[in-house]
Structure formats: C-alpha cells, structure tokens
Amino acid sequence: REKLIETENAWTKQVIGYTLQAYEAVYGCLGDLACGLAKIQGKAKKIDLILPSIEYMEEHFTDHRISNELMAKQSDISVVYFRKIFTSVYKVSPMKHVQNLRMTKAKELLQSGLMNVTEIAKATGFSSIYSFSKTFKTACGCSPMKYRPDEGEDE
C-alpha cells in the first residue's frame, strides 16, 4: 500500500523515473497476487487429499479407538504425511483437533443437562471419567461439573 502511494505521488509529480517506479509497483502487486493464489491453490489441493480423513474424523471423533493411523488410512496416505498435511492446513495436530471436537460436543452436552458427566465422558470418546475430567479441565479451565449450569437457579 505504501509503495502504491509513493508511486502515485511520483506519477503525479512526474519525478525522474516515475514510469519505472509505476511498473515496479504494478509488477510487485501482480507478483504478490500470484503468490497468494498459489498458496490458496496449494492449500485446496492438500485439503482435497485428506478430505476422506477429515470426513471420517468428523463422523467418528467420539470413537475412543480413533487414531492417526485410522484417519490416514481413509486417505490412503502414510501417517507421517497425513499428520504433516493436516497440521499445515489446520495449525493443530489431527488428534488435538479430535480433542477439540470432543470438547465442543462435551460442552453442548453439559449445557443441555440431559446426561451425567460419566455418560458424557463415554459419549465423547473418553475411556474413563478421570481422563475426560482431566482433559476437560486442561482445555476449558474448569471441571465439567463447574461448567454445567446450575440447575437450581431461577430464570
């Protein structure tokens, strides 16, 4: 932006070399646009490659047996390559993303009040209430019981 303003000023004042400065600014902008487009296209190709894994993750995140191996298998790529691509696109590891999905679902269930904490732990893919409570407290900053709205409050 600053470069374009400088170019506009040079063009208006028609200082020596103003046409070259204008060309430089235009080609610089085109170069930046081309680089941005290449990054977007590269990200889209990566997402297309791991899309079967992402769909599997979203459908099975509550399964306590979900793993990087199972997710990579859905896209027919190696675990290492899957983790690398997933992390580059989502900026978190696949299993951290699974945990985030579980925590989002757990919060919804806690807010609904329809299930107790043990049931919610099982429903969100945790093998024990201890594991669920520890993970929830780390992720959310409070225990599942403290997150749940008070049932005795008047509205």
Side-chain angles (χ1 to χ4, degrees):
R1 179 172 163 94
E2 290 175 16
K3 190 70 171 168
L4 289 175
I5 292 170
E6 287 175 25
T7 304
E8 180 184 16
N9 290 337
W11 189 270
T12 305
K13 295 175 186 173
Q14 295 194 355
V15 297
I16 297 173
Y18 71 93
T19 53
L20 290 176
Q21 194 174 9
Y23 285 135
E24 178 186 359
V26 169
Y27 286 123
C29 289
L30 290 174
D32 290 346
L33 287 172
C35 287
L37 183 59
K39 285 181 183 177
I40 290 168
Q41 289 173 335
K43 187 173 182 178
K45 285 180 184 177
K46 289 177 181 179
I47 290 172
D48 286 345
L49 180 64
I50 62 170
L51 189 58
S53 299
I54 295 167
E55 290 171 348
Y56 180 85
M57 179 188 300
E58 289 172 357
E59 292 174 17
H60 297 92
F61 72 90
T62 59
D63 185 346
H64 71 277
R65 296 169 298 189
I66 195 168
S67 65
N68 287 320
E69 290 79 10
L70 282 172
M71 291 183 284
K73 187 176 181 180
Q74 303 307 308
S75 294
D76 199 27
I77 56 176
S78 75
V79 175
V80 173
Y81 193 47
F82 167 67
R83 289 186 69 217
K84 181 180 179 178
I85 292 173
F86 189 94
T87 304
S88 74
V89 171
Y90 288 93
K91 307 300 182 215
V92 294
S93 71
M95 291 309 293
K96 178 66 176 172
H97 189 68
V98 167
Q99 180 182 315
N100 292 342
L101 292 171
R102 288 175 174 174
M103 289 298 104
T104 300
K105 184 67 174 177
K107 288 177 188 177
E108 290 172 12
L109 293 171
L110 286 166
Q111 289 291 316
S112 75
L114 298 174
M115 300 169 85
N116 66 39
V117 175
T118 303
E119 292 169 332
I120 292 170
K122 282 190 173 192
T124 54
F126 288 88
S127 56
S128 71
I129 189 169
Y130 171 77
S131 174
F132 169 68
S133 296
K134 183 177 177 182
T135 303
F136 190 92
K137 188 167 186 171
T138 301
C140 302
C142 65
S143 70
M145 288 303 292
K146 287 193 178 182
Y147 187 85
R148 183 179 289 247
D150 292 333
E151 295 172 9
E153 286 186 27
D154 292 330
E155 291 187 87

